[in-house]
Each structure stands twice: as structure tokens, then as C-alpha cells.
Amino acid sequence: MDMTRIRDHMVEHQLTRRGIDDRSVIEAMRTVPREKFVAPGFEDFAYEDAPLSIGDGQTISQPFIVALMLEKAGLKAGDKALEVGTGSGYASALMSRIVRQVYSIERHERLALQARDRFETLGYHNIEVRVGDGSKGWPDAAPFDAIVVSAAAPEVPSALKEQLNLGGRLIIPVGRGQEQRLKRVTRTGPAAFEEDDLGGVVFVPLIGEDAWTAAHPMYTATVPSPGTFAAGPGSQPRVQGAGMETTYRLPALPEGVLDHTEFQQRFWALQRLSWIMFTLLLAICLLGLLGRGGPFSRQTLMLSDRSVDFPVISRWNAPEDMTVNFLASSEDRVFTIDAAFLRTFSVQGIDPPQKATFARDGRIGYVFAADPAEPTQIVFRLQTQQPGARRATIGLGEEVRTQSTFIFP
């Protein structure tokens, strides 16, 4: 897979078309291999427009959010910068391609050590990593020209504000749950600061003395998951009575008589396999006749006050649309789908674009702005990726549905 081409596609479609125009940020996003900073097995999803889990309850933010935060931080070549919440190390790596020196602090030792190893492997030698309380910053290395915080605090920690240089910029998510706002704090004097609101976001909580505590509900609460989810592929059915079979031996055949039992078993097994293959081939041909847009190629999932028009029969490597309909509401609308769905389809675009995205419990979530005046229709433009039968778990608010789909070659 040509990651350079995919990286360029990400920059063009996810960044520049959304208004990211800082040349140093764009060049860093083209240069740093994001696939090196995701969990093993997720390399193919590294450039999706969504966050990904990296373990320990942490995520690597979607590329657009990372680029937005770095652009709003106003990074310059001679700056000294601090990142709070190293995570996988991706944001620190990007910053290191722009500024003179990066200091990065992470409370999870495993993640910090992994990030340090990645920096060494990639030859990014202007990054220092420390394990500690990010809400307290890094006083020994202060002051900083820019501080980027990759987790949400209940309010802007005073320690981070005090570690800003005169004219320094602090980018930090503030708030809880889906009420978070991305803030930019600029130091304009010894005790004077200006604050700008950059919009709504969803980040994991910042844990520390000047932020949330590990026992705080913001950190410990889990998302309710109504409905039943299909078991994973590794789950095995319980077998009762194992080891209690009785073996009976057949009597020996008379001398000179050939035993054709093994041949017959192989013959019937081959015949059954042939019938199965013929049936599958016939089914594929029938599905091919129905095709995309045929009478049975789509299904509308009806929920209490919303619906999803979902493709259930598709052609491999063909475009598809999934339409989500919301009634008028004064609250932001949340649509979730399991990450395995992205192995079947890739999201090429969303119209209108989402307000924020997040990853939680193996599912990708999209947050859309409220519209109390009229219903909202969201169109996901998809591209089929893998032929075969697949299942997708879809969530709208607190309601969950499981839908099957089939992509034929």
C-alpha cells in the first residue's frame, strides 16, 4: 500500500479543503508517517477521518483536529513548544518538524516509552519525553512559545498559563463530555491573557492535580450500551460433555476385500463442497443481477425518531451512500458505528460535515450540530473496500441496531 499517496490524499481532502492553510503544518502532515503511530493492525486506518484507540483509554485524534490545533498554536521555526498528553507521539512528532524543540509529557508510562522509541526510530531527536502530571506542565523547561494540550480539562490550568512566554499560545479543550470547547489562550502581559473559543470538540479527560482526578465521573463513567452486540470472532461456543465420547471399532473385513470407506468419505465431502461452491456462485450471480440500486439493495432502519438508509447489497470498489435522518432537535445528534465497518467501507466524505468525532469501545462516533427548526439529513459518501458478507452495528443516540451487508466481486 502506497502510504505516501494516501497521506497526500488525506492532506488534500481532510485538511486543505476544510481550510487548513498553514504551510508548515501541511508540510509536517505530509512528512510524518501517521501509520507508525497507531496500534499494530490499524495501519490501514491511519489516515481515516476519525480518531483511533491506542490503549490505556487514550486515542490518537483525527488528522483534521491535530492540524487545526497546531495551526491555531501559530508554531514558528524558532519556537520551544510543550505538548501535554503525548499519547502515541503523533502530535509531538508533527510539532518537531516545525519548531526548534518539543517537550512532551504523558502520565501513562507505557505510552511515553513507546512514543520515545518511535521518535528514536524515525530520527526525531529534538523531542524530550517525560512521565508525569501534564496539568502541572514542565516548569524546568518553561517558558514555552506554544503549549498544545491533547486532553480536556475542567478549566484552563493556571500552571500552564504561567509557563507561557510573552505572546505564547496555549491550545486546550475545556469542559466535559460533548460540551467541550477548544480554547486558545494568548499571554499578552505578565498577568494578562486573551482567550478565544475555537469551537466544539470531544477529547479524553486530562487527569492531574489541576484537572480531573482519576476517580472523577468524567474519567470513570462508561457510555451506556443498550441492545445486544454480536460476539467477537474469537468467542467460542461452550461445549458440554467434552471428553466423554465412546469409541466403537468396526469388525475387520475378510481377507482380500478392499475397504472403500475412506474413498467414499472423501468423494461425498468433495461433492458437498462442489454443491456449496455452486450455490455460492449462483447467489453471487443473482446478487449481480440485482446490483447496486436494485429493489433489494438497500434497507431503511427505522428507530423511534430517526432512520438510516443503509446499503445491504453493493459491488466491490464502488461508491455508496448511507443516509441518516434526524428529527428537529435542540441537542447535538450522535451517530456511532463499529470500527469493523471501516474495514468494509471507507468514509470518503460527510455532507454536511460533522461537528466532532470520537472513538470509544471499538466504535467510531460522529457528532452533528443541533437544529431545532427542521429535520436534518446527513449523507455519508462511502467506498466499498472488501468483498463478502459483513455486519455493522449502528447507533443513533442510545438506540443500537445491527445490520448485515454483502459486497460481491
Side-chain angles (χ1 to χ4, degrees):
M1 183 176 294
D2 185 357
M3 288 297 182
T4 301
R5 182 183 59 81
I6 297 175
R7 196 177 307 125
D8 289 340
H9 183 274
M10 176 269 291
V11 170
E12 173 66 24
H13 288 78
Q14 299 181 32
L15 306 186
T16 59
R17 292 190 181 183
R18 289 181 175 177
I20 302 296
D21 57 10
D22 187 309
R23 290 187 178 182
S24 61
V25 173
I26 290 175
E27 184 60 29
M29 299 290 284
R30 289 189 190 276
T31 303
V32 176
R34 183 177 163 92
E35 69 273 12
K36 302 294 185 183
F37 293 87
V38 301
F42 283 81
E43 291 85 357
D44 290 349
F45 307 120
Y47 297 99
E48 296 287 346
D49 186 24
L52 296 172
S53 173
I54 57 174
D56 292 329
Q58 308 301 301
T59 61
I60 176 173
S61 298
Q62 71 183 111
F64 172 73
I65 289 296
V66 178
L68 176 66
M69 295 176 73
L70 299 189
E71 182 177 67
K72 297 302 182 182
L75 302 176
K76 301 178 181 63
D79 284 353
K80 180 171 62 173
L82 169 69
E83 186 194 13
V84 175
T86 311
S88 69
Y90 180 59
S92 290
L94 291 168
M95 295 165 69
S96 75
R97 303 301 88 195
I98 303 173
V99 305
R100 172 174 54 87
Q101 182 67 40
V102 177
Y103 295 83
S104 193
I105 187 166
E106 168 61 53
R107 80 182 190 94
H108 294 281
E109 183 177 9
R110 183 186 68 85
L111 295 179
L113 295 177
Q114 286 181 345
R116 183 179 296 168
D117 290 342
R118 292 184 180 113
F119 300 150
E120 289 295 325
T121 301
L122 293 170
Y124 299 164
H125 300 306
N126 62 335
I127 309 175
E128 292 191 33
V129 182
R130 169 185 287 186
V131 178
D133 182 352
S135 70
K136 292 294 188 181
W138 196 321
D140 298 344
F144 298 101
D145 300 296
I147 300 176
V148 175
V149 183
S150 299
E155 59 186 19
V156 180
S158 58
L160 298 182
K161 295 170 65 175
E162 292 302 323
Q163 291 175 32
L164 282 174
N165 209 342
L166 187 62
R169 293 78 58 198
L170 165 62
I171 307 296
I172 180 172
V174 177
R176 68 179 68 215
Q178 295 176 17
E179 301 173 357
Q180 298 173 18
R181 308 296 296 180
L182 188 63
K183 304 284 187 177
R184 177 173 58 195
V185 178
T186 305
R187 187 166 199 168
T188 57
F193 299 89
E194 289 183 355
E195 185 174 297
D196 298 311
D197 189 323
L198 304 178
V201 290
V202 179
F203 276 81
V204 296
L206 176 64
I207 307 303
E209 185 176 339
D210 288 352
W212 306 103
T213 65
H216 195 282
M218 170 69 178
Y219 182 69
T220 59
T222 57
V223 178
S225 53
T228 302
F229 293 85
S235 60
Q236 298 293 333
R238 183 180 299 274
V239 179
Q240 297 181 349
M244 300 181 64
E245 300 87 356
T246 302
T247 302
Y248 297 94
R249 292 184 178 274
L250 295 174
L253 293 173
E255 185 176 354
V257 177
L258 298 178
D259 186 359
H260 294 287
T261 304
E262 184 177 356
F263 170 80
Q264 291 175 339
Q265 290 174 345
R266 291 182 178 180
F267 173 82
W268 289 113
L270 181 61
Q271 189 179 58
R272 284 194 298 269
L273 180 61
S274 299
W275 275 109
I276 292 173
M277 293 178 64
F278 174 79
T279 304
L280 289 176
L281 182 61
L282 181 60
I284 290 173
C285 292
L286 291 175
L287 291 174
L289 293 175
L290 294 174
R292 179 173 176 267
F296 304 106
S297 65
R298 307 185 68 81
Q299 181 173 336
T300 300
L301 303 179
M302 302 299 299
L303 291 89
S304 59
D305 59 351
R306 61 211 86 173
S307 65
V308 180
D309 182 35
F310 189 84
V312 296
I313 299 175
S314 303
R315 287 193 178 94
W316 178 46
N317 205 26
E320 281 285 4
D321 286 341
M322 178 175 64
T323 304
V324 183
N325 296 289
F326 293 101
L327 293 181
S329 173
S330 59
E331 297 181 356
D332 287 348
R333 278 70 65 90
V334 179
F335 173 80
T336 62
I337 194 157
D338 55 307
F341 174 81
L342 295 178
R343 301 188 184 95
T344 305
F345 296 90
S346 66
V347 180
Q348 301 296 305
I350 304 175
D351 185 26
Q354 72 273 26
K355 177 179 177 182
T357 59
F358 61 92
R360 189 177 295 148
D361 297 332
R363 301 171 71 189
I364 303 297
Y366 299 85
V367 181
F368 298 96
D371 188 348
E374 58 184 13
T376 301
Q377 184 177 82
I378 310 295
V379 178
F380 285 75
R381 296 188 299 277
L382 310 174
Q383 182 77 18
T384 56
Q385 297 289 302
Q386 300 178 0
R390 300 288 186 270
R391 291 177 69 83
T393 302
I394 298 171
L396 288 169
E398 295 184 355
E399 295 187 80
V400 176
R401 294 288 188 274
T402 300
Q403 176 62 52
S404 298
T405 185
F406 183 86
I407 302 173
F408 58 88

